[in-house]
Amino acid sequence: MYDVIIIGGGPAGLTASLYAARAGKSTLILEQNAFGGQIATAPRVENFPSVNEIAGARLADNMFEQAISHGVEFDMGTAAVEIAENGFTVTTEYGSYFTKSVVLSTGVSHKKLPVASAEQFEGKGVCYCAVCDGAFYKNKTVCVVGDGNSAAQYALFLAELCNKVYMLTMLDKLFCDKELTDRIVNNGKIEWTTDVTVTDVVGDDNVKGVAYKDTDGAITYVDVDAVFVAIGQQPHNEIFANVVKLDKRGYILAGEDCKTSCEGIFAAGDCRTKLVRQCTTAVGDGAVAGFSAALYADKVK
C-alpha cells in the first residue's frame, strides 16, 4: 500500500511527489509517456523564478532527479482509478496498486492542426515540438502556426536555426509576454502574418508548402520545409470521469485547493480547471496537492 499515488509525471506531479515524500509518505508516480511533461519539449524556459534561462529538458531532469533523491518510486503505465474501502485502487496495464490518496496530474496534449492534409504529413514535416524536430530543418524555411506563448517560443527558437520562419496567426496579436512579442517583431528572420487561417499543407513525400486564407478569402501559398503547430492544448481525463467531475471541455473540476469532487483525490497542473497554465502554476498546484494528499493519508486507517 502507498500513502500517495500520483498519476502524471510533469512539473505538477513531480512537485507533488516531492512534497508528499518530504512529509514522510510512501509515494509512487505513474507516467504513461515520458517524465517532465510538455516542459521537457520547451526550447527554453525564461520565466521560472530564480532561473534566468534553462532548457525545458534540463529543468524536467532536475525535478525528476530531486524527486528520486527523496525516495519517490516511479513506474510506467496508463492508470485508471477506482474507489475502494479505505482508499483507492489504481490499475495500469502492468499491475494494480492500493493507495490512501491520489493526485491526478495528467497534463494536456497538443491540439492537432484541423486540416485534413496535416495528418498525412505528421512526421514528414508537420511537427508539434520545435525542440524535438527543429534541428532537422537547420538552414531551411519553416512555418509556425499559433498565437500563444508556445508558438512565440517556437518561432524564436527556430529563427536561431532556420533561414526563415513564417509565423501565421488567426488574430492580429500574440497571446504571450510582451517581451516575446517585441523579440518576434524585431527578428529579421521571422515574417509574421496576421488574420489568416491555414487551409492546406502540401508536398509529396514530405512537406513542401502551406496555404492560408485571409479575411477577404484570398489564398496565399508559401514554400516551407516544415510546419510547426502550436494552437493549444486538450486534456485527457475521460478515464477518471467515474471518480471525479469534469467540466464540458474535459478538465477536472478543482479549485486552488486542488480538491476534486471525490474526497481523497486531488488534481494538480494543467489538467484541472484554471485560468493560467504555466510551469510555475503547475509547480504551485503540485505543492498544494502533494501536501494535501499527505494530510489526507494521515486520516485513513
Side-chain angles (χ1 to χ4, degrees):
M1 176 192 288
Y2 288 93
D3 293 313
V4 182
I5 287 181
I6 297 158
I7 301 174
L14 290 169
T15 304
S17 75
L18 178 64
Y19 273 74
R22 286 176 60 88
K25 305 306 176 189
S26 57
T27 305
L28 171 69
I29 290 187
L30 297 171
E31 169 59 48
Q32 65 176 348
N33 293 314
F35 289 97
Q38 287 198 72
I39 198 67
T41 66
R44 60 175 61 88
V45 178
E46 299 179 321
N47 56 356
F48 198 83
S50 82
V51 180
N52 288 331
E53 179 181 317
I54 187 172
R58 180 67 260 173
L59 181 59
D61 285 346
N62 290 348
M63 291 181 179
F64 182 76
E65 291 164 5
Q66 186 178 26
I68 288 179
S69 73
H70 283 81
V72 175
E73 297 180 31
F74 296 87
D75 206 347
M76 305 300 293
T78 301
V81 179
E82 293 184 359
I83 299 172
E85 185 176 357
N86 295 323
F88 304 91
T89 300
V90 179
T91 304
T92 73
E93 57 267 51
Y94 306 114
S96 294
Y97 311 86
F98 187 74
T99 182
K100 297 177 181 178
S101 61
V102 173
V103 176
L104 301 177
S105 55
T106 50
V108 292
S109 65
H110 298 291
K111 287 185 178 179
K112 300 299 183 71
L113 189 65
V115 176
S117 55
E119 184 176 357
Q120 171 189 348
F121 290 106
E122 284 190 22
K124 301 177 181 179
V126 171
C127 310
Y128 290 86
C129 174
V131 71
C132 304
D133 300 323
F136 295 121
Y137 301 98
K138 185 176 182 179
N139 299 325
K140 295 186 177 183
T141 299
V142 300
C143 171
V144 173
V145 181
D147 54 16
N149 200 70
S150 293
Q153 289 187 335
Y154 280 14
L156 289 167
F157 175 76
L158 291 166
E160 296 180 6
L161 298 171
C162 305
N163 289 334
K164 186 176 183 63
V165 178
Y166 291 98
M167 187 168 194
L168 307 178
T169 62
M170 291 184 65
L171 300 177
D172 62 354
K173 67 177 182 177
L174 292 172
F175 297 90
C176 64
D177 298 341
K178 182 179 182 300
E179 180 181 339
L180 291 181
T181 299
D182 291 342
R183 286 163 59 183
I184 286 172
V185 170
N186 295 319
N187 192 307
K189 286 188 175 183
I190 300 174
E191 183 176 324
W192 178 17
T193 303
T194 65
D195 301 303
V196 296
T197 304
V198 173
T199 58
D200 200 12
V201 179
V202 298
D204 41 41
D205 292 334
N206 297 287
V207 169
K208 298 297 183 184
V210 63
Y212 58 85
K213 179 173 64 175
D214 64 22
T215 54
D216 295 325
I219 302 293
T220 300
Y221 171 90
V222 291
D223 293 323
V224 298
D225 298 292
V227 178
F228 287 84
V229 183
I231 57 173
Q233 305 164 327
Q234 61 185 27
H236 300 282
N237 296 317
E238 300 87 354
I239 196 170
F240 307 120
N242 63 317
V243 289
V244 296
K245 291 182 179 179
L246 311 179
D247 72 2
K248 62 182 181 180
R249 295 189 298 161
Y251 289 95
I252 299 169
L253 288 168
E256 296 301 315
D257 60 4
C258 296
K259 292 181 179 179
T260 70
S261 58
C262 181
E263 188 176 10
I265 299 181
F266 304 86
D270 291 356
C271 68
R272 77 168 179 89
T273 50
K274 59 193 306 182
L275 292 176
V276 180
R277 291 183 171 88
Q278 292 283 294
C279 184
T280 48
T281 62
V283 167
D285 279 2
V288 173
F291 186 70
S292 298
L295 289 178
Y296 183 84
D298 285 336
K299 299 191 298 183
V300 178
K301 297 182 180 179

